[in-house]
């Protein structure tokens, strides 16, 4: 094992020799910083002052880091039952969670998996097999430009084809795609763009369609691209007319992020399938769920083994994850104003920032505030302006992670007014340097 002893050229730059980091080109990135603790909105590094986590650590941390109530629920559960095979056995935490999520989503059946991507895989597979089970096979899937649904193959296929999945392009199944009529403050032309998409959608739906998948109200990785509630209502109407299933990918938007418990709830849209993860366990443990309408579930029931949904994961309904999710729901239920009021906390800051000459397309949905930095060159994920702003903010104690020239704040609900104010003022200062 000679090579392991050689001085590592990346090690010299501070990279760990054994870790392959996600979504990172180490040749052009600064090494990972070691985090040794956390509390509420703060991350404590081995070196340097605490930083405010303004992006909820990739959109997962919901109530706050190391939240004691959630931590205790996990610890208590770990001493009772840490894991059990979920095929022949069930357990109280899973049953309680299923009942509660059914109640608040209006979708009766819950299927457990491990993360957002698997929740999406499950939704796509259920949608396709649903039509198969009904003996009316439908093969078309419809998704939106700019969509992100995860990194496994099915999730990549319904996501926007881009740099990230280019090496696999030939292996991804075909998906019909529509423009996403994103909007922002003082957007005059939005109704035309929405109508154009709805017309195209209606045309596509003339072909029998298994499902339409979308991120309700906000496309996350695609650049915090926001649409109006009215648009979602129109999509719902057209999709329901065609009998195609509507899949709402609420992996990012769920659990208060959009100012209501779910983005679809805020827009008063009723999807047939819903995917949840990220904030589900308040960001403590990896877990995904796919919610389904009862009559979808019923098409999978019968004596013919081919009707069965032959899908499952080792850690299905992990009791620790379920305990965390139940605790997180307790906190949401006890203090809904933490998310319903968040938009009004962002508002004055974003209004002020919107005056800046480099700020374009300011937009706000619930806890998510975003804008674009005016750039002369090409926009998009690889634009470096966001990278230099990120570096500036980090040096001043704020963690942001712009998507190219799109800057956004998506903080944990517990962030204090002072901390939020600091995030905005650092960004404003940073705009002068990037
Ligand atoms: C993050 C995300 C996913 C993928 O979730 P993972 O847990 O990272 O696999 C899927 N859909 C949306 C909308 C997401 O934001």
């Amino acid at each position: 094992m000679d090579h392991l002893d050689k001085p590592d050229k990346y090690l010299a730059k501070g990279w760990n020799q054994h870790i392959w980091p996600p979504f990172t080109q180490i040749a052009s990135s600064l090494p990972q910083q070691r985090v040794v603790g956390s509390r509420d909105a703060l991350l404590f590094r081995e070196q340097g002052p605490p930083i405010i986590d303004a992006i909820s650590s990739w959109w997962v941390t919901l109530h706050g880091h190391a939240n004691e109530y959630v931590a205790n629920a996990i610890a208590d559960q770990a001493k009772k039952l840490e894991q059990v095979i979920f095929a022949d056995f069930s357990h109280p935490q899973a049953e309680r969670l299923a009942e509660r999520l059914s109640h608040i989503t209006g979708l009766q059946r819950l299927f457990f998996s491990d993360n957002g991507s698997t929740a999406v895989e499950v939704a796509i597979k259920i949608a396709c097999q649903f039509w198969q089970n009904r003996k009316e096979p439908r093969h078309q899937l419809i998704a939106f430009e700019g969509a992100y649904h995860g990194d496994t193959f099915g999730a990549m296929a319904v996501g926007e084809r881009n740099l990230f999945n280019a090496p696999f392009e030939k292996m991804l199944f075909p998906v019909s795609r529509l423009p996403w009529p994103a909007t922002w403050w003082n957007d005059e032309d939005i109704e035309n763009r929405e109508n154009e998409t709805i017309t195209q959608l209606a045309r596509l739906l003339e072909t029998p369609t298994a499902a339409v998948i979308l991120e309700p109200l906000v496309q996350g990785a695609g650049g915090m691209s926001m649409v109006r509630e009215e648009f979602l209502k129109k999509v719902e109407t057209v999709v329901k007319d065609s009998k195609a299933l509507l899949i709402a990918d609420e992996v990012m938007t769920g659990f208060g992020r959009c100012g209501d418990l779910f983005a679809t709830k805020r827009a008063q849209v009723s999807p047939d399938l819903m995917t949840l993860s990220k904030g589900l366990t308040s960001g403590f443990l990896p877990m995904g769920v796919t919610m389904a309408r009862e009559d979808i579930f019923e098409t999978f029931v019968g004596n013919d083994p081919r009707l069965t949904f032959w899908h499952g994961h080792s850690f299905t309904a992990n009791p620790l994850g379920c305990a965390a999710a139940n605790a997180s729901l307790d906190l949401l239920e006890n203090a809904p104003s933490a998310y319903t009021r968040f938009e009004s906390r962002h508002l004055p800051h974003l209004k002020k920032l919107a005056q800046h000459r480099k700020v374009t397309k300011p937009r706000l949905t619930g806890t998510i505030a975003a804008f674009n930095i005016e750039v002369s060159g090409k926009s998009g994920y690889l634009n470096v302006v966001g990278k230099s702003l990120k570096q500036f903010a980090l040096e001043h104690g704020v963690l942001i992670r712009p998507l190219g020239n799109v800057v956004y704040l998506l903080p944990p609900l517990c962030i204090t007014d002072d901390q939020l104010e600091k995030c905005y003022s650092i960004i404003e200062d940073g705009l002068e340097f990037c």
Side-chain angles (χ1 to χ4, degrees), residues 95-364:
E95 287 165 15
R96 180 143 183 269
L97 181 60
E99 196 179 311
R100 295 172 90 183
L101 287 179
S102 299
H103 183 69
I104 59 178
T105 61
L107 296 166
Q108 198 171 335
R109 290 284 160 181
L110 181 155
F111 192 95
F112 283 103
S113 61
D114 300 337
N115 56 63
S117 303
T118 53
V120 168
E121 297 289 333
V122 167
I124 296 170
K125 285 176 71 175
I126 288 178
C128 294
Q129 193 179 336
F130 166 78
W131 292 105
Q132 193 75 35
N133 285 358
R134 285 168 55 117
K135 303 216 160 40
E136 307 166 47
R138 291 181 170 207
H139 302 297
Q140 176 166 257
L141 290 166
I142 298 177
F144 284 87
E145 289 166 11
Y148 178 78
H149 298 290
D151 287 342
T152 53
F153 269 86
M156 280 197 292
V158 286
E160 163 123 323
R161 304 297 159 89
N162 56 23
L163 169 78
F164 302 154
N165 49 47
F168 319 105
E169 167 109 50
K170 289 209 162 55
M171 292 137 99
L172 301 179
F173 55 74
V175 171
S176 302
R177 222 167 285 276
L178 290 164
W180 178 250
T183 190
W184 45 86
W185 289 356
N186 302 320
D187 175 15
E188 312 261 294
D189 183 47
I190 183 57
E191 245 167 274
N192 287 333
R193 296 200 308 279
E194 286 177 358
N195 290 339
E196 176 55 28
T197 291
I198 296 297
T199 309
Q200 287 189 37
L201 175 60
R203 206 171 302 140
L204 278 179
L205 286 168
E206 287 166 13
T207 303
T209 299
V212 177
I213 183 167
L214 52 77
E215 292 155 87
L217 292 186
V218 187
Q219 281 189 341
M224 296 299 157
S225 257
M226 302 182 184
V227 292
R228 301 194 309 165
E229 293 168 29
E230 295 91 313
F231 170 70
L232 285 188
K233 287 294 296 177
K234 286 187 222 163
V235 169
E236 180 190 36
T237 307
V238 184
V239 172
K240 299 249 146 121
D241 281 350
S242 78
K243 303 276 191 296
L245 299 181
L246 181 61
I247 306 174
D249 180 356
E250 295 237 26
V251 167
M252 182 195 74
T253 54
F255 302 107
R257 290 292 187 201
C258 288
D260 202 333
L261 262 185
F262 302 101
T264 43
K265 188 157 183 263
R266 176 166 175 171
Q268 295 182 293
V269 162
S270 314
D272 304 296
L273 291 155
M274 186 191 284
T275 58
L276 298 168
S277 185
K278 293 203 166 116
L280 168 64
T281 60
S282 188
F284 271 68
L285 287 162
M287 170 168 274
V289 306
T290 306
M291 306 297 304
R293 247 179 30 216
E294 182 67 2
D295 64 298
I296 296 178
F297 172 74
E298 279 166 5
T299 64
F300 289 73
V301 179
N303 291 326
D304 183 346
R306 285 173 301 183
L307 294 175
T308 311
F309 189 51
W310 296 112
H311 185 113
H313 297 277
S314 314
F315 286 99
T316 294
N318 173 256
L320 305 184
C322 292
N326 275 317
S328 182
L329 283 180
D330 291 344
L331 296 176
L332 286 171
E333 280 171 10
N334 290 343
S337 63
Y339 57 88
T340 56
R341 236 179 47 74
F342 213 104
E343 202 165 294
S344 64
R345 297 179 62 195
H346 272 304
L347 194 61
H349 298 296
L350 189 62
K351 268 189 179 155
K352 178 157 175 271
L353 198 60
Q355 307 299 319
H356 195 283
R357 70 194 145 76
K358 284 192 186 170
V359 171
T360 63
K361 302 187 174 174
R363 49 201 186 268
L364 175 60

Side-chain angles (χ1 to χ4, degrees), residues 54-55 223-224 226 350 353 358-363 368-374 385-387 389-390 393 400-410 423-424 426-428 431 434:
I55 56 164
M224 296 299 157
M226 302 182 184
L350 189 62
L353 198 60
K358 284 192 186 170
V359 171
T360 63
K361 302 187 174 174
R363 49 201 186 268
I368 311 170
F371 65 90
N372 293 13
I373 305 177
E374 179 78 20
V385 60
K387 215 167 165 176
L389 181 64
K390 167 178 149 187
I400 55 171
R401 208 168 187 281
L403 299 151
N405 66 322
V406 174
V407 181
Y408 68 89
L409 294 175
L410 195 164
C423 295
Y424 277 95
I426 297 295
I427 288 172
E428 197 175 337
L431 285 173
C434 66

Side-chain angles (χ1 to χ4, degrees), residues 18-34:
H18 303 290
I19 286 169
W20 191 327
F23 269 113
T24 302
Q25 174 49 263
I26 70 171
S28 55
S29 308
L30 291 172
Q32 291 172 307
Q33 303 181 43
R34 191 169 289 139

